[in-house]
Amino acid sequence: MRYVWLAFLFVVVAALSVLGFRGSLSTRPPLEVFPDMDHQAKYKPQQESRFFADGRTDRPLPANVVPRGRSVEADPMYLAADDHMFRGKTATGEFARGFPEGLEVSHEFLARGRNRYEMFCAPCHGRTGDGNGITKQYGMGATPTYHDDRIRTMAEGEIYNTLTNGKNTMMGYGDRLAVTDRWAIVAYLRALQRAQQGTVDDVKPANRPELGL
Amino acid sequence: MSKIFPKSANALPLQIVLFLAVAGTVATAAVTYWVTPKYTRVGYAPTQPVPFDHALHAGQLGINCVYCHTNVEKSEHSNVPSTSTCMACHSIIKKDSPLLAPVRASFETGAPVPWVRIHKAPDYVYFNHAVHVNRGVSCVECHGKVNEMQVVKHDQPQSMSWCLDCHRNPELRIRDSKDVYNLDSETLAAQGRLEEAIARVHDWKIKPPQSCSGCHR
């Protein structure tokens, strides 16, 4: 019986040394104890496909397709027909000034713009728009500041166009930001510019003593 | 009559019972410890084709999760970014690094970078990222402190009982909306704002399903 106990002890020690402890790092794929229906014959996003030649389940859209089952009456944005809204241009092809119809520049709109700006723009342009984002320390070249006359006087449509399609070394963000979010960022950019041009007149008289004025 | 069994055999039945009891206990303990995602999945840290460092990008640089995982707020699927996202910076910063060669090749040819998937729900689970993050469940609840991981590892077991732990008590796990992508933040409950969390669960109609068909369809 002693040998049985010894053999048992050996098995326990061997199992411990082979299997190790919970949470230890491993590059081996997880062991599936009961795989059952874990892997079904269906496609999920960004998975590998053995059927399509490019090896992916996500299929690229053919050119000029539109979603089916919608109408312009129900959704004016559907065909992206509004040049000002979708391309930042007027009917004559110039960059449009002001914000497109249908967008209300409200407090919520600016808050959304700030939220998106700090996620997508601040890494390079800085949270105040001075062009000194964190990436500058890592070798990102001259990121322009928003606080010069060139950009202060730039048409909103041109800023929208830059944001959508990129300019110089900046790549476009049209694939990652919704159209209304891009306009919200344009609005917030205007707010940032305005904030840098504040004067004592912008402070309510009652609050001026707080600033020692 | 000669003895068939030696005298020591008298103790044998007791010893066998004792052994079976100990062996049964150890086997139960072993299954409990090892046959669970807490062991099989936690700690999985595969080698990726590009050694992308989340601790640098998300931690040190403070780039928001959504900068790359853009669909997390609007889709069930939190996407791995396209290589054009990488190239937004890496066409300038470290543009000749040999480590980034697969990214550049992908950007030029359109072929995907063969990233190794770490977190994978079984195909009969319908998990939706957007409904979680938009109701205040932070990334960190399911993925751990990715902003401190140089190599991403499977941090939480993501087993069904683990899902239900939170589905039964969502007020203990939700965060302020502004903290969802701040992986160093604390839950409302941990900040001593439990009442606020309970109110939010009520006001936002946060009703995590506990029925089978909530997640299995």
Side-chain angles (χ1 to χ4, degrees):
Chain A
M1 198 67 208
R2 181 152 33 110
Y3 295 107
V4 176
W5 283 111
L6 281 175
F8 182 66
L9 187 69
F10 176 76
V11 169
V12 170
V13 172
L16 257 177
S17 22
V18 171
L19 294 172
F21 296 103
R22 278 181 181 177
S24 47
L25 291 181
S26 164
T27 54
R28 287 193 304 275
L31 196 72
E32 289 177 314
V33 184
F34 301 113
D36 295 338
M37 293 159 73
D38 283 5
H39 306 279
Q40 298 170 13
K42 65 180 178 186
Y43 282 160
K44 289 172 130 182
Q46 292 196 314
Q47 279 189 346
E48 189 180 352
S49 164
R50 294 191 188 152
F51 178 76
F52 294 109
D54 63 359
R56 49 176 124 187
T57 58
D58 299 343
R59 307 313 307 148
L61 292 176
N64 304 322
V65 292
V66 294
R68 73 186 270 280
R70 297 189 208 167
S71 68
V72 184
E73 289 77 34
D75 179 7
M77 310 259 283
Y78 162 53
L79 288 178
D82 184 344
D83 268 335
H84 192 166
M85 175 80 91
F86 289 90
R87 283 163 288 279
K89 291 188 177 170
T90 60
T92 53
E94 287 160 10
F95 286 120
R97 295 205 170 262
F99 290 85
E101 270 180 58
L103 288 182
E104 192 201 346
V105 182
S106 60
H107 189 264
E108 287 73 37
F109 191 66
L110 281 171
R112 176 69 180 174
R114 176 179 184 170
N115 173 284
R116 295 292 111 173
Y117 179 88
E118 290 183 352
M119 280 180 184
F120 288 91
C121 314
C124 295
H125 289 281
R127 291 181 75 163
T128 58
D130 58 3
N132 287 322
I134 182 83
T135 55
K136 183 161 266 188
Q137 298 169 26
Y138 292 81
M140 186 62 89
T143 313
T145 170
Y146 299 145
H147 310 301
D148 66 16
D149 282 338
R150 184 177 66 88
I151 298 180
R152 280 189 202 118
T153 54
M154 189 182 271
E156 279 79 3
E158 188 171 359
I159 300 174
Y160 171 87
N161 180 64
T162 303
L163 183 46
T164 306
N165 301 315
K167 189 173 184 180
N168 299 332
T169 55
M170 173 179 152
M171 289 193 184
Y173 282 73
D175 59 339
R176 279 184 279 162
L177 286 163
V179 171
T180 48
D181 283 346
R182 279 174 250 159
W183 281 110
I185 289 175
V186 175
Y188 184 64
L189 191 152
R190 288 293 190 226
L192 287 176
Q193 289 177 331
R194 179 70 184 80
Q196 295 289 318
Q197 294 196 304
T199 63
V200 71
D201 296 331
D202 295 319
V203 185
K204 285 180 194 159
N207 297 112
R208 285 181 198 174
E210 291 171 27
L211 299 170
L213 296 168
Chain B
M1 189 178 158
S2 65
K3 283 187 280 185
I4 299 173
F5 296 106
K7 196 165 188 182
S8 62
N10 285 346
L12 208 54
L14 185 65
Q15 287 200 327
I16 288 172
V17 168
L18 188 68
F19 175 76
L20 288 178
V22 171
T25 310
V26 171
T28 309
V31 169
T32 312
Y33 188 76
W34 282 313
V35 187
T36 156
K38 287 176 192 161
Y39 168 75
T40 57
R41 284 157 77 175
V42 174
Y44 176 44
T47 308
Q48 301 287 358
V50 180
F52 180 83
D53 184 348
H54 277 84
L56 173 66
H57 291 83
Q60 201 174 319
L61 303 187
I63 295 175
N64 195 291
C65 309
V66 185
Y67 185 91
C68 303
H69 305 289
T70 35
N71 288 347
V72 69
E73 294 174 313
K74 47 193 178 193
S75 162
E76 59 162 60
H77 179 70
S78 173
N79 58 310
V80 174
S82 63
T83 36
S84 62
T85 305
C86 312
M87 293 302 276
C89 294
H90 288 295
S91 57
I92 300 164
I93 299 171
K94 289 193 181 288
K95 66 184 176 119
D96 298 318
S97 166
L99 296 175
L100 287 164
V103 172
R104 288 192 297 271
S106 165
F107 187 65
E108 279 155 25
T109 64
V113 177
W115 300 104
V116 183
R117 186 161 186 172
I118 300 172
H119 301 84
K120 186 174 184 325
D123 280 350
Y124 48 80
V125 175
Y126 290 78
F127 178 82
N128 187 320
H129 276 89
V131 298
H132 286 84
V133 295
N134 290 339
R135 279 165 184 74
V137 180
S138 169
C139 319
V140 71
E141 293 292 331
C142 307
H143 294 289
K145 287 207 168 188
V146 176
N147 60 335
E148 295 173 2
M149 296 182 195
Q150 289 186 317
V151 178
V152 174
K153 65 165 186 170
H154 204 305
D155 186 78
Q156 296 290 319
Q158 304 197 344
S159 61
M160 192 169 95
S161 72
W162 171 89
C163 293
L164 283 169
D165 284 346
C166 182
H167 273 222
R168 289 184 177 127
N169 300 298
E171 65 280 357
L172 298 179
R173 292 268 141 257
I174 56 172
R175 276 172 168 72
D176 209 330
S177 297
K178 67 176 172 52
D179 286 339
V180 168
Y181 303 107
N182 174 4
L183 305 190
D184 293 321
S185 64
E186 288 191 315
T187 59
L188 284 170
Q191 294 177 29
R193 294 158 71 190
L194 183 60
E195 306 226 323
E196 209 177 307
I198 292 169
R200 167 171 292 204
V201 167
H202 175 265
D203 297 347
W204 288 25
K205 299 190 173 59
I206 300 176
K207 294 174 182 164
Q210 293 172 36
S211 64
C212 310
S213 59
C215 311
H216 307 296
R217 283 178 263 145

